[in-house]
Amino acid sequence: MEEILKRLGISQKTINQMEEISPNIKELSEEEIKEKIDILKKIKCDEIQVRNIISSNAMYLEKSNTDIEKLINKMHELGFEMLNILFDGNPYILNLEAYEIENYIQKRQAEGEELEDIVDEMSSDPSIFTEI
């Protein structure tokens, strides 16, 4: 597991911190980590973005691929573009579930806001996702 993270350019010190936050990542196979990297590459993350996202949010490595893909699909469906930049700006978005984002947006729409305006605001200020 550590070898693939080191090939991404993640330092041993950072790997140790990641393991403190998410001890279960020690049990992940190289193949499981490669799958998480591939998911990020599918949304056009470059190597630096992949490294930043994984090193900042070790919990991403523990999340199921199905849940991650549901989240990405829901965000595309809602109109989010350039997810690579959004996730690089706030890697913890990847810890959310698709329904959480949908519920948040529905709540704001119920208050009279337009979907496009909500998505634009959330895209330009990734810290809004911490409210979810």
Side-chain angles (χ1 to χ4, degrees), residues 49-112:
Q49 291 169 326
V50 170
R51 182 182 65 231
N52 290 345
I53 291 166
I54 291 174
S55 64
S56 298
N57 183 11
M59 293 178 286
Y60 166 71
L61 295 174
E62 292 185 45
K63 193 166 181 178
S64 81
N65 293 347
T66 303
D67 287 344
I68 295 166
E69 289 168 356
K70 281 181 187 176
L71 174 69
I72 290 170
N73 291 337
K74 177 55 67 177
M75 292 183 77
H76 279 302
E77 179 184 310
L78 291 167
F80 287 93
E81 298 174 6
M82 298 179 12
L83 292 179
N84 57 333
I85 295 170
L86 190 61
F87 295 154
D88 191 31
N90 185 351
Y92 300 103
I93 295 169
L94 287 158
N95 296 348
L96 297 171
E97 299 296 331
Y99 74 86
E100 292 175 301
I101 292 175
E102 186 171 34
N103 289 348
Y104 176 81
I105 288 175
Q106 286 175 350
K107 179 182 172 193
R108 288 187 56 180
Q109 284 179 307
E111 295 169 0

Side-chain angles (χ1 to χ4, degrees), residues 29-44:
S29 70
E30 191 167 309
E31 185 59 35
E32 289 170 307
I33 294 173
K34 283 181 182 178
E35 289 172 359
K36 297 297 190 292
I37 292 168
D38 288 342
I39 290 171
L40 294 175
K41 287 185 176 181
K42 283 181 193 172
I43 58 165
K44 298 187 174 38

Side-chain angles (χ1 to χ4, degrees), residues 10 27 84:
I10 300 174
E27 309 304 320
N84 57 333

